[in-house]
Amino acid sequence: MKVLLLSVDFPPHQDGVSTLSYHYARRLAERGHDVLVVGPRAKGDRALDEDTPFRTWRFPGYGWGIARFLPFTLWA
């Protein structure tokens, strides 16, 4: 199955939604699903993305606070 996971919070950010989204994507990929995550760019994201069993596409603007939903919505 192909899975698209859209998240405005995703590692390397360290919060509950980020952690839950990451583990959800990882478990689906480990079970053989084709997973693409759309998440925010952040310092250290490339190193993290290279070590995952799923693809990740990053969008800019996480540091904009609540306004980060604008680029997220446009890219999604």
Side-chain angles (χ1 to χ4, degrees):
M1 174 184 351
K2 291 185 177 188
V3 178
L4 173 63
L5 177 65
L6 305 170
S7 182
V8 294
D9 293 305
F10 199 77
H13 298 287
Q14 300 283 326
D15 60 24
V17 173
S18 297
T19 302
L20 180 66
S21 298
Y22 173 80
H23 288 291
Y24 184 64
R26 185 171 199 90
R27 298 297 185 264
L28 286 170
E30 288 172 349
R31 292 177 185 222
H33 299 288
D34 181 16
V35 179
L36 171 62
V37 174
V38 175
R41 286 185 196 151
K43 185 177 181 179
D45 62 9
R46 288 186 184 183
L48 176 73
D49 294 347
E50 291 174 358
D51 191 36
T52 60
F54 52 84
R55 295 173 292 131
T56 308
W57 189 86
R58 302 288 184 158
F59 63 88
Y62 186 84
W64 300 354
I66 193 72
R68 74 180 181 262
F69 288 97
L70 179 61
F72 171 76
T73 303
L74 293 172
W75 288 107

